[in-house]
Amino acid sequence: MTASPDDLRQAPLYRVLHALARDETSSEALTGACLAAIARDGHLNAWTWVDAAGALASARASDARRAEGRPLGRLDGVPIAITDAFDVAGMPTGLGLPGHPGLAAEDAHVVRRLRGAGAVFLGKTNLDEAAFGTVGRNPHFGDVQNPAHPGRAAGGASAGSAAALAAGHAVVAVGTDTLGATRIPAAFCGLVGHKPTLGELSARGMATALRRLDCPGLLARAVQDIGLVLPVLAGYDAGDPRSRKRRVPLAPPDWVPGELKAGVVADLGALGVDAGVAENFSTVMARVAPVFGSALPVALEVAPLEVAATRRAALLLMEAEILAAHGPRLGGASPRLLGLLDFARRKSAADAAAAHRRLDGHVVQVRRVFEQFDVLLLPTVASPPPAWGAEEPANLADLTALASLAGCPALSLPLPGGLGLQLVGAPGADLRLLELAQVIASVADTGE
């Protein structure tokens, strides 16, 4: 029995793994189909660097290992897309900035873990300039187009990874998530997006946006796929100062949904959420309510957390971090980016200290929230994907920032129209979030 590589490149990871294990297809055939799709879809501006020869060589090596009965790991032969913010040995790490930065000498930590599991790297995907944006706008490599909603923004900053996955260029994708840069494009492009607990995945070898919050993110077509990839990437890394070293593993997926204390964000209007998005969210919550049995979700107001103001404090730190980390490469940056960075230049060390204190306060406030609740439910984005070329909405990352600023894990399920349903848990609750998300996806029209 054979399976069409063109069908499989658009299938969930678990289906692809089944096909490879049963010899229904080869990695070389699947990788070739992905590369052909990339070549056909150049108008999407999803990629900044494609290594066709290297990918096909890796795929053939994977097929040879499988033929000998010794695959490297669970992802052996799987074509993967990765945002151009991670070092991949032999490829440039552009971070969406102009000029050629030279070739990376070694792999980022997550790349090394993926390579050790046998993944096939197709190349590097496009992103907002300096990973600073929410709509996939890049004046140097072209704005990323949305294959799921043509004429609409693809989200950002991991826009290229989301567009590549939505278009069937890869089977799974890796992005970055500092304030929502994986979950926003996941929603806009109809995918599942996961930001792990801060420190669960090493950020070593990932170009800096804001080290305090920087986190690798995962994009997939199904929640189950996230559960397959996350354990491959997770683990302590002494080379990352924020890596979590635990005596026990991630909290096991042992939640009983009917006994969960779920907080549903109710004050969406005060958070600037579009009326249509709020109505859609209420409809989804009505469908999801039976999952929680007698423990009905409790309305929760998060406006007192002042997430928008804290996100702006984080943006100041992000601007300062970009200046410090990438200064020599900013000479050819766009006037838009340079204008944003000028704001940080005008601020003092005391301003930066005040911003850090504000973020610390948010961490404490969210910890108190999770003394009352096991999981929070809220929309992923405040508005549908804006028209391509339209002005970037100022509040697009406010809903995703709630989790990012506190280091919490968060997962976005796709909803029709480029929207998303977001689940946020306490730090360490990643596997429990995945379990609950699978249950919710089975009863709600998430489009997964």
Side-chain angles (χ1 to χ4, degrees):
M1 179 179 178
T2 60
S4 164
D6 256 332
D7 289 340
L8 287 174
R9 68 180 175 84
Q10 302 174 79
L13 171 62
Y14 63 80
R15 171 68 184 103
V16 172
L17 294 177
H18 179 83
L20 288 169
R22 292 176 59 87
D23 200 26
E24 296 174 6
T25 192
S26 67
S27 176
E28 182 178 5
L30 179 57
T31 300
C34 289
L35 290 169
I38 292 170
R40 285 195 302 268
D41 294 339
H43 65 283
L44 295 178
N45 295 324
W47 297 81
T48 61
W49 180 274
V50 177
D51 182 15
L56 288 171
S58 294
R60 294 185 190 108
S62 172
D63 290 335
R65 289 191 296 269
R66 285 191 181 275
E68 296 172 2
R70 53 179 188 87
L72 276 181
R74 67 170 59 180
L75 300 178
D76 208 345
V78 175
I80 282 182
I82 189 160
T83 295
D84 195 11
F86 292 92
D87 289 342
V88 178
M91 299 185 193
T93 305
L95 194 63
L97 291 168
H100 197 297
L103 304 181
E106 59 183 34
D107 291 334
H109 185 82
V110 295
V111 172
R112 188 168 72 249
R113 298 293 287 261
L114 289 167
R115 199 185 296 279
V120 173
F121 293 95
L122 298 165
K124 310 287 280 298
T125 54
N126 199 2
L127 68 166
D128 287 84
E129 187 181 22
F132 202 140
T134 56
V135 294
R137 185 169 296 156
N138 192 295
H140 314 294
F141 298 95
D143 295 350
V144 180
Q145 307 298 300
N146 188 335
H149 299 283
R152 297 282 170 177
S158 305
S161 283
L165 188 60
H169 297 173
V171 177
V172 69
V174 178
T176 65
D177 199 309
T178 302
L179 287 168
T182 290
R183 288 161 287 157
I184 294 169
F188 283 3
C189 293
L191 302 167
V192 178
H194 177 55
K195 185 205 88 70
T197 297
L198 183 66
E200 289 296 343
L201 273 57
S202 171
R204 180 157 57 98
M206 176 177 136
T208 296
L210 175 52
R211 289 174 301 158
R212 174 176 176 142
L213 305 180
D214 285 344
C215 186
L218 300 177
L219 291 149
R221 298 190 177 98
V223 176
Q224 185 176 339
D225 293 351
I226 303 289
L228 292 169
V229 179
L230 183 63
V232 173
L233 302 183
Y236 175 66
D237 174 20
D240 178 357
R242 287 160 189 81
S243 183
R244 284 162 54 94
K245 189 171 186 178
R246 292 165 280 101
R247 295 182 180 177
V248 294
L250 285 168
D254 58 359
W255 273 344
V256 178
E259 299 175 3
L260 281 178
K261 294 177 289 184
V264 176
V265 175
D267 52 345
L268 297 178
L271 301 175
V273 175
D274 284 6
V277 173
E279 182 178 354
N280 175 281
F281 178 69
S282 296
T283 301
V284 172
M285 286 298 96
R287 288 199 298 267
V288 165
V291 169
F292 298 95
S294 58
L296 294 176
V298 176
L300 169 68
E301 293 191 354
V302 298
L305 294 178
E306 298 183 315
V307 174
T310 306
R311 181 183 65 83
R312 288 193 291 273
L315 289 177
L316 167 61
L317 298 174
M318 188 173 178
E319 291 155 0
E321 191 98 48
I322 290 171
L323 284 170
H326 311 295
R329 297 197 56 210
L330 296 174
S334 70
R336 169 192 170 274
L337 178 61
L338 293 175
L340 292 170
L341 299 181
D342 278 342
F343 179 75
R345 285 192 177 96
R346 297 193 299 269
K347 295 297 181 177
S348 68
D351 292 322
H356 278 296
R357 290 174 65 85
R358 184 172 187 101
L359 267 64
D360 288 344
H362 179 83
V363 171
V364 172
Q365 286 179 298
V366 173
R367 284 177 181 171
R368 290 171 180 159
V369 169
F370 281 109
E371 290 174 357
Q372 307 170 55
F373 300 101
D374 297 306
V375 63
L376 307 183
L377 302 171
L378 67 161
T380 305
V381 288
S383 59
W388 183 74
E391 186 175 349
E392 185 172 354
N395 67 335
L396 204 47
D398 282 358
L399 299 181
T400 51
L402 188 152
S404 296
L405 295 166
C408 294
L411 185 137
S412 176
L413 290 171
L415 296 176
L419 304 180
L421 171 61
Q422 188 178 188
L423 291 73
V424 178
D430 301 65
L431 299 183
R432 289 172 167 172
L433 278 187
L434 294 178
E435 180 188 52
L436 180 59
Q438 288 188 67
V439 174
I440 288 177
S442 71
V443 300
D445 181 15
T446 66
E448 184 210 316

